[in-house]
Amino acid sequence: MAAVAILVADGFETIECLTILDILRRGGVRASLVSINDTRDVISAQQVSITCDEVFSDVDFDVYDYVVLPGGMPGTTHLRRDERVCDVVREFAATKHVAAICAAPSILAELGLLEGRRATCFPGFDIDFPAGAFAGEKTVVKDGNIITASAMGQALPFALTVLEDIAGERALEKVCEGIQL
């Protein structure tokens, strides 16, 4: 079974994080919320408290095919400041898959992972994107093994794009039918 680690920091965007979790699980993908905190407890930018499935320090990332970075502020800042997160993102960009939404694609740009690629992000967070990389607003962009989305309004299309990429068209069709999309 395919597996996805969704990295969660205090200040994450609630809908971006929980929509992808919901869609992936509906599609039969093993999706785990991974707290970068010392505990499984994390609080969103909208003050929604959640308990993650795992704590980063206890995770064996070898069992995962994808790493997902939800946006939100200051969640994105917390993810970027954690070198463990940066190391995992670099590794997954080189050997597996990475998906990031809203402000979080800025992390990919700052780590130099968008060279020669197309991507999107929340307006204003493209400052470190390489020339020609920004693919526009209000969209989802898949470029090779990296998927990016512009904002919370794209959370469902983003989640469906990741689902199709990891689990295939049949899983996507099943989920779309089930949510009446």
Side-chain angles (χ1 to χ4, degrees):
M1 175 189 290
V4 175
I6 303 166
L7 304 185
V8 189
D10 284 334
F12 68 94
E13 168 56 53
T14 310
I15 290 175
E16 294 166 0
C17 180
L18 298 181
T19 300
I20 194 159
L21 176 71
D22 180 281
I23 292 297
L24 292 174
R25 286 184 178 177
R26 286 174 191 262
V29 175
R30 187 170 68 87
S32 300
L33 294 176
V34 178
S35 168
I36 71 164
N37 295 344
D38 293 334
T39 71
R40 292 175 34 204
D41 299 320
V42 185
I43 300 172
S44 79
Q46 295 74 33
Q47 301 304 301
V48 175
S49 299
I50 65 166
T51 300
C52 292
D53 303 298
E54 301 182 75
V55 175
F56 190 97
S57 58
D58 295 337
V59 172
D60 175 7
F61 283 96
D62 290 339
V63 303
Y64 289 100
D65 306 291
Y66 247 99
V67 66
V68 174
L69 306 173
M73 292 303 281
T76 297
T77 301
H78 295 314
L79 290 172
R80 175 61 181 100
R81 286 184 183 157
D82 191 319
E83 279 305 312
R84 302 170 308 164
V85 170
C86 294
D87 289 344
V88 165
V89 170
R90 284 185 196 101
E91 178 184 335
F92 274 66
T95 63
K96 296 182 180 185
H97 301 270
V98 176
I101 184 170
C102 195
S106 67
I107 297 170
L108 306 180
E110 290 176 20
L111 296 177
L113 303 175
L114 297 181
E115 285 294 330
R117 294 184 181 266
R118 302 281 286 159
T120 189
C121 64
F122 192 84
F125 284 89
D126 59 328
I127 191 166
D128 291 315
F129 275 38
F134 187 69
E137 298 177 7
K138 298 182 182 178
T139 189
V140 176
V141 177
K142 181 179 184 301
D143 189 332
N145 65 334
I146 294 178
I147 296 173
T148 55
S150 57
M152 189 253 302
Q154 297 300 312
L156 184 56
F158 173 69
L160 293 169
T161 301
V162 172
L163 175 63
E164 181 178 28
D165 193 48
I166 196 168
E169 191 173 322
R170 184 176 209 137
L172 175 66
E173 289 171 0
K174 178 185 169 210
V175 169
C176 286
E177 182 179 312
I179 64 172
Q180 297 192 5
L181 186 64

